[in-house]
Amino acid sequence: GAVVSQHPSWVICKSGTSVKIECRSLDFQATTMFWYRQFPKQSLMLMATSNEGSKATYEQGVEKDKFLINHASLTLSTLTVTSAHPEDSSFYICSASAKNTEAFFGQGTRLTVV
Amino acid sequence: AQSVTQPDIHITVSEGASLELRCNYSYGATPYLFWYVQSPGQGLQLLLKYFSGDTLVQGIKGFEAEFKRSQSSFNLRKPSVHWSDAAEYFCAVGAYTGNQFYFGTGTSLTVIP
């Protein structure tokens, strides 16, 4: 199957700083990418949907100014957590799909804000 | 509304015993169903998926799942559990063409010797 790579796998940052997470489709062109968040011992919740070249669509309750999503190319989407705080510590997972094809998940990024 | 229900939050089984994890879904279109496993601190690993064809799907690590449209279920089974199967299991439903996925709340599996 297709490969979606997330980087970094884990990151620790200081409170108040920003951190960028990358999601790459390695062997296909991803027209759509989804970003999910998983709180400890909970399920994955969709944060936003991004289509290449368009602004991301955020789910209700997700702060678009805090979680900046960029999908500038068909193989890369980035999620930037701005002015991170400890409550932003979570597991972030992306999925990517080409037009009219199934979606594939990245391995996830564990963010710890100290 | 689209949703996935995993009724069992936590299951404990003895090593070598059989396992069944339940998953019920509500989805307004033809469902594309998945089971993922997540070890502590790790990402999601796809166990198996179903979109069409034979309703009994074989996956990796000896897992299988059966799609029952009449019951809106997609239960995961394994005949003999190994200690390494201890993990969190998520059922998910989506559309084939890359729409968002809806995840269940997960079932935590503990395997005792």
Side-chain angles (χ1 to χ4, degrees):
Chain A
V3 178
V4 175
S5 176
Q6 268 184 253
H7 178 80
S9 298
W10 58 271
V11 57
I12 301 173
C13 69
K14 290 185 178 180
S15 186
T17 63
S18 296
V19 62
K20 181 184 287 187
I21 301 170
E22 294 185 346
C23 179
R24 293 182 183 272
S25 56
L26 298 184
D27 52 1
F28 68 101
Q29 294 184 323
T31 52
T32 305
M33 287 188 173
F34 301 88
W35 287 95
Y36 296 81
R37 180 175 180 177
Q38 183 184 32
F39 290 99
K41 299 189 183 300
Q42 295 188 32
S43 188
L44 289 82
M45 300 299 293
L46 182 68
M47 297 176 65
T49 303
S50 72
N51 293 296
E52 187 266 338
S54 303
K55 288 185 178 181
T57 302
Y58 290 81
E59 295 299 299
Q60 191 173 10
V62 178
E63 300 176 59
K64 57 183 67 178
D65 293 331
K66 180 166 189 63
F67 299 99
L68 301 179
I69 292 173
N70 183 280
H71 191 171
S73 79
L74 286 171
T75 58
L76 175 64
S77 176
T78 60
L79 167 66
T80 302
V81 183
T82 63
S83 186
H85 291 281
E87 57 265 30
D88 298 324
S89 299
S90 193
F91 194 70
Y92 295 87
I93 299 178
C94 72
S95 71
S97 70
K99 188 176 181 180
N100 295 327
T101 67
E102 64 180 295
F104 297 91
F105 282 87
Q107 69 271 41
T109 298
R110 182 163 301 284
L111 169 63
T112 301
V113 184
V114 297
Chain B
Q2 335 288 13
S3 66
V4 176
T5 301
Q6 292 181 246
D8 305 305
I9 296 174
H10 185 243
I11 286 181
T12 299
V13 299
S14 298
E15 191 168 14
S18 64
L19 171 70
E20 182 170 31
L21 303 182
R22 295 182 291 167
C23 172
N24 292 94
Y25 69 90
S26 173
Y27 198 69
T30 301
Y32 194 14
L33 294 154
F34 301 80
W35 275 100
Y36 285 91
V37 61
Q38 184 181 39
S39 298
Q42 303 298 312
L44 297 177
Q45 181 180 23
L46 178 66
L47 285 176
L48 47 77
K49 58 188 177 183
Y50 171 81
F51 182 68
S52 64
D54 191 345
T55 56
L56 184 62
V57 183
Q58 301 298 320
I60 62 171
K61 301 185 178 185
F63 285 92
E64 65 178 26
E66 185 171 13
F67 171 61
K68 294 185 177 180
R69 185 183 301 276
S70 61
Q71 299 177 19
S72 295
S73 70
F74 189 56
N75 293 348
L76 182 71
R77 301 194 293 250
K78 186 169 185 178
S80 178
V81 171
H82 188 262
W83 64 266
S84 60
D85 293 325
E88 190 84 16
Y89 291 80
F90 292 97
C91 180
V93 66
Y96 183 80
T97 54
N99 288 333
Q100 72 169 94
F101 289 92
Y102 298 86
F103 285 84
T105 50
T107 298
S108 178
L109 173 65
T110 298
V111 181
I112 56 177

